Amino acid sequence: MFGKLTTDLCTMLVQALFDDPHLQNTCYRCICRVNFVKDENVITNLQEYLKSNSMNARYVSCKLLLHLSQRPNVIDLEQVQKIFGEIMQDPTSTEDLWLIVEQGGANIKSIYYNAGQLKDAVYTLLANHLLGDVNGDKVTIDRETNSQSIQQQDFVASEKAA
């Protein structure tokens, strides 16, 4: 049934973050279509991804948990807030989160931007949710600055270091 999050689909969504930019952005858009989970193993699976070395895997897991907290009988918002608090206090969450700028077309060069530390991105997700900001599903991008080329250089340097 469409809208049902299974353990396999959960894994597929998180793994899609390691693929091309178009697929990554499609993954983020698909999250809003999830209406319920097949079993409690999905929540357990998401909590395991929150311990991942990948900041993107953690970020999409947070987005899924927050979205699922809006569905009846899946996960309580208070439980999600507690999980987010643990993430924000985790020393490894000070690592930068690199996201892709949404662009049209399939053959356009990917532009990555530094969305800041994961803990700040998680805080923004939660704050936007609690304040009712329907456009809060994306970390705010300051497109007016000329720092994008510097950020791209930082991303390349971080990729070489990894």
Side-chain angles (χ1 to χ4, degrees):
M1 175 180 260
F2 190 71
K4 178 173 35 175
L5 183 62
T6 64
T7 304
D8 291 338
L9 181 58
C10 178
T11 301
M12 187 174 67
L13 285 171
V14 174
Q15 291 298 316
L17 293 171
F18 302 105
D19 212 321
D20 67 70
H22 178 71
L23 187 57
Q24 289 180 14
N25 286 325
T26 300
C27 171
Y28 284 121
R29 285 191 302 273
C30 288
I31 291 171
C32 68
R33 295 189 175 156
V34 173
N35 294 317
F36 59 96
V37 296
K38 184 177 178 183
D39 58 44
E40 63 275 350
N41 291 334
V42 171
I43 302 299
T44 304
N45 193 22
L46 283 172
Q47 289 176 324
E48 287 301 313
Y49 280 117
L50 293 173
K51 300 172 187 169
S52 170
N53 290 332
S54 167
M55 297 303 110
N56 281 23
R58 290 184 189 188
Y59 184 69
V60 77
S61 297
C62 286
K63 289 183 75 155
L64 275 167
L65 283 170
L66 194 58
H67 177 74
L68 292 173
S69 73
Q70 299 172 26
R71 302 296 178 240
N73 303 318
V74 177
I75 187 169
D76 187 56
L77 180 59
E78 289 180 19
Q79 185 179 356
V80 171
Q81 290 174 327
K82 181 181 176 196
I83 292 168
F84 280 24
E86 292 169 2
I87 292 168
M88 289 184 278
Q89 293 177 0
D90 183 348
T92 62
S93 294
T94 59
E95 189 174 324
D96 286 341
L97 173 67
W98 288 89
L99 299 175
I100 299 170
V101 175
E102 179 73 38
Q103 299 182 61
N107 296 327
I108 296 176
K109 185 177 178 181
S110 301
I111 299 175
Y112 291 85
Y113 68 95
N114 183 337
Q117 296 179 349
L118 176 67
K119 67 179 186 175
D120 296 333
V122 169
Y123 177 82
T124 300
L125 279 176
L126 184 58
N128 287 337
H129 177 77
L130 294 174
L131 296 173
D133 183 0
V134 294
N135 294 319
D137 62 341
K138 292 185 180 181
V139 177
T140 304
I141 308 169
D142 184 4
R143 295 174 194 235
E144 300 298 317
T145 66
N146 293 327
S147 64
Q148 206 165 47
S149 62
I150 293 170
Q151 291 175 348
Q152 288 170 336
Q153 291 169 2
D154 288 345
F155 178 76
V156 171
S158 70
E159 284 293 307
K160 288 179 182 177

